[in-house]
Amino acid sequence: MPDMSASASLAMTHLVSFAKEVDEDKVTPGVLGFIVFAAMALAVWALMKSMSRHMNKVDFTQAPDPEAEQAELAEPETADTETSGQGKQKQG
């Protein structure tokens, strides 16, 4: 076992004696635990509010692609022929 310094040994004896004094049935998070939990809850609330504001700014409607419209107007017959040809191949 590695040698422990005198201060580490002294600290360990104090911690062990403190652990014996604490009743395991009465240990609670206490005020510090409540403060940490409340701070985390406030942070989550602030993040959700911020996310809601950012999501309200988003425009979900998609603008049509002008190049795709021009391609459909230029060759409507070839698109219909290709799709109907594929359907016939699958059936027969």
Side-chain angles (χ1 to χ4, degrees):
M1 184 170 188
D3 293 328
M4 296 174 63
S5 67
S7 61
S9 177
L10 184 62
M12 289 299 289
T13 57
H14 285 295
L15 288 176
V16 170
S17 65
F18 178 70
K20 289 179 185 176
E21 293 173 10
V22 175
D23 186 13
E24 292 181 10
D25 295 331
K26 295 183 180 179
V27 175
T28 62
V31 176
L32 180 62
F34 175 75
I35 291 171
V36 169
F37 181 79
M40 289 174 53
L42 286 173
V44 168
W45 176 76
L47 286 171
M48 292 294 289
K49 190 168 182 161
S50 174
M51 183 185 70
S52 177
R53 272 191 256 129
H54 281 81
M55 291 299 286
N56 286 335
K57 291 180 184 178
V58 174
D59 183 22
F60 287 105
T61 57
Q62 184 175 0
D65 189 15
E67 294 177 4
E69 289 179 4
Q70 290 176 358
E72 288 178 7
L73 293 175
E75 300 179 20
E77 297 173 5
T78 56
D80 292 338
T81 318
E82 290 175 2
T83 56
S84 62
Q86 290 175 356
K88 290 179 183 176
Q89 290 175 356
K90 290 179 183 177
Q91 292 174 358

